[in-house]
Amino acid sequence: MEHLALLAIAASAVLCHGAQLENMNGLYEISNPNIQSDVKFRGDYSTMDAEYFDVYSPPIKTRYGEVWWTLMDPVTIPDEIIKRFTNKTMAIIGYESNQVRQTSDGDVSVPITWAYNHHYVAYMTGGKSKLVEADPATFQGGRFANLYQHRTFYAPVEMTEDNGIEAPPPGMPTSTLFSEGNGGEFRKSFHGYPKGYAQLIYSPDTFHITPMQIDTHNRDHPGADFVAGPLPKSSQAPPNASYSGILECPCTDRIKKDIHTVYSALTKGACSVAVVNASECFAAAHTVGVPANATTQAISQTNIPTGCSVVRSPDDDTNHVYFNSETHGTTCGGGSLYSGQASVLNKVTMRLDLNSKQGREGEATITLSGPDGVWFGVGLSATAMSDLPYAIIVNGSGEVMERKMADHDPGTQIKTTVMIVSNAVTNGVRTIVLNRTMIGATKDHYTFNPDVESSIPFISAIGSGPAFAYHKFKGAATLSFTALDGATCVCNAGIKGSINGIPFNKDCWDEPKGDLVQQKNPTCWVDTYQGGLRCCHHGWILLDQDQNPWEDQIDEYHMKFRFWFQEYDPVAPKHENLVRIFWETEVWSTEYDIPIKEPSVEPQNALHEISSHWKVGDMLHDCSPGRAFDCTGPRENKTGINLIYAGGHCHAPSCYSMELYNADNGQLLCQHIPIYGTGTEIFNEKGYLAVPPCLWGSADEGLIEPIFLSFDTNLMSVKRNNNTYGHTGEMALLQMRGVLV
């Protein structure tokens, strides 16, 4: 039988021109041709007065059921191209992609039924940009936090240091991203642009790719048709399906979930979800900072809050935990003294003591402990720097400053409002006590209000030297207040958990932005999560523990990209740069489940639907396109965008349609109807798809004129899937490009 094999050919790049010009994957369709034009657009790059070069990734090596999802080693583009475009701008007018074996007879495509591309993210960087490790929770406003949660995340940023390359013209991109139509549809979905538009990049030199591949190759089946290999019990694929159930990343019995209830302290009002019994109450109190030596008592009294509460005795500082079964008890709070303490991995500790009756603006005593000799600090009411918190920084000698942090940036120092009460070092730990008013001196200074925020999330960081600089360690925690002269309620704050030790967090948005919360989609909560990205990390095997077929039979192949380009003329520009515009119909979960239809639903009506509502301005990020790949540029003197390209991303087994509407007037802007394969040959594998994008340009090319959308235009997307069977890890992404005008 045939297995994937690879000759000893390194990752490489090849330049071709002249008579060799031809599409790598044949011609392409689009979803919105101009039917009134005499020209039919076919995505034929050979007619576009362009050149191309090919780039091959380093080898991908997997066994059956294995996930490959990691940043691969960088690949230098052809030296001739680097020299030609040093201190110049390249206009990339499109690209093609495939997965191939390199053989002595040329490239051989790897069937999508053997290696399924879940998605990819690729970059090209240049002489004035570099790829850096970044925190997905903070980089560019945390827009990548869900997709890259608890994974190493890399992104290109502009370089300002002198390295022999001239500085780019203002606003000129020094890197660019390729991720349109990036999934099982990637080979036959068009990734090009109309005349006059391109992805511009200054002094290009290096290609980077993070592919997510899933090995679905049945090594015992030599035929061209598809026969699934062993599947885990959690696979929802039906018998004799045209696809492998493991491409949906089912959570197998190799996955270990840890699920538990979390609790929060409330210093005013009543719990929205109450603790239901005494044993739960007494255990829950310790999780919000109540000492283990607190007394516990089950009561039925009207002068204590109903449910679980903590009362701190002013005489001896003793905590008393009560579970009150009386349904007509008092509400929480009523006091003026509050205290709380929390640590970040036992490295930095913060204690807050508040007295709302001390003076006109109240008094806050802040006690911070951290390692001596290096700087450390905390940022209040934040889970990431993208929250732009008020921060207190202590340098290596105990000097204190206050700052307003910026997104992935140290921000600015602000007026000092804290007074140092004490500063001592014991056994290598510096403890500093500070006083300030509870009310912040300016809008940039945090205001303590335990009646509104009875639990404060905070971030913490430690430097490698005494002066404030880039952090060596970072983390986050939550401090919960206990009232010292009133009752603090302990409330049920919901279910939390982890998958294989990795904390589970999802950001499913409720209506009108998204549908998943209202539909109670299983993807949003750890206790109902069945499959998808959280069960699909690099190197994980998507099989049950008792399944281990073909352990030593490794498939090896490359991702291949063909970049079509033209020269950019800075004196008389003929290309406008296309900025990336992105939205998720599953806002911002990045994935969702397709629940199986009800038995009463006829097969022809088996459709599941989600939708999203947002404004054009919600997709824009005002930083310069030269700074990072997701920046769309400043909006000054602009009123909207011209939409040029719109590509939908969904997965093979069930994708039915994706639609984008102008919600203000009901106009259908773009409709994607996937083209499903019907045979066994490459690019036409049965059950796998292409998703023709929408493209706007000139009638001379067979296209519809670009659509103008003001920044305030309301948009709506609708995604439909066949739900005859259930599916996990589906996506409904809108990967678009346009021009601010």
Side-chain angles (χ1 to χ4, degrees):
M1 62 169 289
E2 180 182 15
H3 296 304
L4 292 179
L6 177 73
L7 301 179
I9 302 175
S12 60
V14 181
L15 172 67
C16 296
H17 46 75
Q20 295 175 303
L21 290 177
E22 62 179 15
N23 281 14
M24 183 170 74
N25 298 343
L27 299 179
Y28 299 91
E29 301 290 335
I30 61 173
S31 287
N32 62 334
N34 187 339
I35 59 176
Q36 297 179 346
S37 172
D38 295 332
V39 179
K40 179 175 174 60
F41 187 88
R42 297 304 304 274
D44 187 352
Y45 288 107
S46 69
T47 66
M48 298 182 185
D49 191 25
E51 302 169 79
Y52 75 76
F53 59 91
D54 291 339
V55 179
Y56 296 84
S57 76
I60 296 170
K61 304 177 183 180
T62 58
R63 50 172 288 200
Y64 178 72
E66 185 175 0
V67 179
W68 182 282
W69 188 10
T70 188
L71 175 69
M72 306 189 76
D73 290 338
V75 178
T76 303
I77 68 176
D79 187 60
E80 179 183 337
I81 294 291
I82 295 175
K83 293 177 180 178
R84 179 174 163 187
F85 285 95
T86 296
N87 299 324
K88 297 180 180 178
T89 298
M90 174 188 287
I92 298 175
I93 65 165
Y95 67 95
E96 300 178 89
S97 50
N98 199 0
Q99 50 193 32
V100 301
R101 292 179 289 149
Q102 292 179 316
T103 76
S104 57
D105 295 324
D107 293 342
V108 177
S109 292
V110 175
I112 199 74
T113 54
W114 287 14
Y116 183 76
N117 176 247
H118 189 281
H119 69 271
Y120 61 79
V121 175
Y123 305 105
M124 193 176 293
T125 55
K128 297 303 286 186
S129 63
K130 59 184 176 181
L131 205 66
V132 299
E133 183 176 349
D135 182 354
T138 60
F139 184 80
Q140 294 295 297
R143 297 192 292 276
F144 311 98
N146 276 304
L147 183 59
Y148 288 92
Q149 188 182 96
H150 305 293
R151 293 181 174 88
T152 303
F153 172 66
Y154 296 89
V157 296
E158 186 174 9
M159 293 169 54
T160 56
E161 56 264 34
D162 184 8
N163 63 350
I165 303 295
E166 296 175 6
M172 183 62 69
T174 57
S175 63
T176 193
L177 168 79
F178 308 99
S179 69
E180 295 76 18
N182 58 339
E185 72 274 17
F186 77 113
R187 302 165 306 162
K188 285 296 292 181
S189 296
F190 185 59
H191 307 104
Y193 309 120
K195 184 178 181 179
Y197 299 96
Q199 290 180 243
L200 302 182
I201 178 171
Y202 181 76
S203 286
D205 59 20
T206 307
F207 175 75
H208 315 260
I209 186 169
T210 302
M212 182 179 176
Q213 300 286 114
I214 300 173
D215 190 322
T216 58
H217 178 201
N218 182 344
R219 272 70 164 173
D220 284 346
H221 182 69
D225 60 320
F226 174 75
V227 174
L231 300 176
K233 294 183 290 293
S234 54
S235 167
Q236 298 188 44
N240 302 316
S242 61
Y243 64 93
S244 170
I246 63 177
L247 67 81
E248 298 181 319
C249 295
C251 296
T252 73
D253 66 10
R254 296 177 188 239
I255 298 297
K256 304 301 179 187
K257 279 189 182 182
D258 174 41
I259 301 172
H260 56 275
T261 303
V262 293
Y263 301 91
S264 62
L266 184 68
T267 55
K268 184 176 182 180
C271 295
S272 57
V273 180
V275 173
V276 297
N277 58 56
S279 59
E280 181 187 7
C281 171
F282 303 151
H286 302 313
T287 70
V288 298
V290 176
N293 63 354
T295 66
T296 59
Q297 186 177 1
I299 60 173
S300 179
Q301 298 177 196
T302 57
N303 62 337
I304 297 290
T306 299
C308 188
S309 64
V310 181
V311 176
R312 199 163 179 176
S313 172
D315 298 328
D316 57 7
D317 210 28
T318 301
N319 289 274
H320 305 279
V321 181
Y322 298 105
F323 180 76
N324 187 12
S325 58
E326 170 58 55
T327 57
H328 295 91
T330 61
T331 57
C332 315
S336 59
L337 303 175
Y338 304 90
S339 181
Q341 178 174 305
S343 297
V344 178
L345 297 179
N346 295 318
K347 294 178 181 290
V348 174
T349 298
M350 177 172 67
R351 174 176 172 138
L352 295 176
D353 293 283
L354 307 180
N355 184 346
S356 62
K357 292 185 177 180
Q358 181 66 38
R360 188 166 56 91
E361 297 181 323
E363 181 182 68
T365 300
I366 306 163
T367 304
L368 299 176
S369 297
D372 180 37
V374 297
W375 73 266
F376 62 91
V378 294
L380 303 185
S381 194
T383 59
M385 286 179 65
S386 57
D387 293 322
L388 313 181
Y390 161 78
I392 300 174
I393 308 297
V394 182
N395 72 14
S397 58
E399 296 174 330
V400 177
M401 64 176 165
E402 295 165 76
R403 302 188 71 88
K404 176 65 172 178
M405 306 304 291
D407 181 8
H408 211 64
D409 187 90
T412 57
Q413 186 169 349
I414 57 178
K415 175 184 176 182
T416 298
T417 61
V418 296
M419 180 180 67
I420 298 177
V421 177
S422 65
N423 184 358
V425 177
T426 304
N427 297 326
V429 176
R430 180 179 299 279
T431 299
I432 189 163
V433 180
L434 310 169
N435 264 359
R436 50 151 281 192
T437 59
M438 289 175 60
I439 298 175
T442 72
K443 63 181 178 60
D444 290 334
H445 292 77
Y446 181 74
T447 291
F448 297 96
N449 187 347
D451 287 345
V452 174
E453 196 171 19
S454 54
S455 293
I456 301 178
F458 68 96
I459 57 175
S460 176
I462 299 173
S464 55
F468 178 59
Y470 190 77
H471 55 71
K472 179 181 179 181
F473 163 86
K474 61 182 174 64
T478 298
L479 180 149
S480 296
F481 286 114
T482 300
L484 305 185
D485 54 348
T488 301
C489 291
V490 179
C491 307
N492 183 326
I495 298 292
K496 294 286 185 180
S498 62
I499 293 179
N500 278 5
I502 301 171
F504 181 95
N505 296 298
K506 273 292 186 85
D507 192 19
C508 295
W509 286 31
D510 209 341
E511 294 181 327
K513 281 290 197 290
D515 289 342
L516 300 190
V517 174
Q518 182 265 339
Q519 292 184 4
K520 296 182 172 56
N521 195 278
T523 197
C524 295
W525 299 277
V526 65
D527 52 330
T528 56
Y529 192 81
Q530 304 172 74
L533 299 177
R534 302 301 189 273
C535 290
C536 228
H537 287 237
H538 178 63
W540 289 12
I541 304 296
L542 301 175
L543 301 172
D544 287 333
Q545 296 179 75
D546 61 353
Q547 296 173 312
N548 195 28
W550 314 302
E551 182 178 6
D552 300 324
Q553 297 183 28
I554 304 300
D555 281 0
E556 187 169 337
Y557 58 96
H558 299 259
M559 303 298 290
K560 178 183 179 181
F561 281 69
R562 174 164 294 179
F563 291 102
W564 293 87
F565 69 94
Q566 297 169 343
E567 292 197 5
Y568 175 79
D569 184 351
V571 178
K574 298 180 178 62
H575 302 88
E576 291 191 78
N577 182 55
L578 290 170
V579 296
R580 184 173 188 257
I581 308 167
F582 179 76
W583 193 257
E584 298 181 359
T585 308
E586 63 271 39
V587 225
W588 287 101
S589 173
T590 309
E591 61 178 356
Y592 67 107
D593 290 358
I594 310 298
I596 191 170
K597 72 176 183 67
E598 295 294 333
S600 59
V601 176
E602 295 296 327
Q604 67 270 22
N605 298 322
L607 286 179
H608 175 262
E609 179 180 302
I610 66 169
S611 63
S612 178
H613 300 79
W614 75 101
K615 290 181 181 291
V616 168
D618 294 338
M619 301 184 289
L620 306 181
H621 312 292
D622 291 350
C623 47
S624 168
R627 178 185 173 195
F629 68 89
D630 218 37
C631 296
T632 51
R635 294 183 227 185
E636 289 85 357
N637 302 317
K638 311 288 187 183
T639 58
I641 64 170
N642 277 343
L643 192 59
I644 303 299
Y645 178 100
H649 172 55
C650 57
H651 290 290
S654 67
C655 188
Y656 183 81
S657 68
M658 292 184 69
E659 296 164 351
L660 176 65
Y661 292 89
N662 181 330
D664 292 329
N665 59 22
Q667 179 187 7
L668 176 63
L669 303 176
C670 178
Q671 181 183 52
H672 300 296
I673 304 294
I675 300 173
Y676 276 88
T678 58
T680 59
E681 62 273 21
I682 294 295
F683 303 151
N684 189 39
E685 296 95 335
K686 182 180 179 181
Y688 291 81
L689 50 78
V691 182
C694 291
L695 199 66
W696 294 269
S698 69
D700 293 342
E701 295 179 272
L703 302 175
I704 298 172
E705 290 294 320
I707 294 176
F708 172 78
L709 300 170
S710 72
F711 296 143
D712 291 329
T713 299
N714 289 290
L715 299 176
M716 178 179 74
S717 61
V718 179
K719 168 71 183 306
R720 296 182 181 90
N721 283 75
N722 183 290
N723 68 337
T724 301
Y725 303 99
H727 304 275
T728 59
E730 173 62 319
M731 292 181 167
L733 313 184
L734 288 167
Q735 300 159 323
M736 300 174 283
R737 289 193 178 268
V739 177
L740 270 63
V741 293

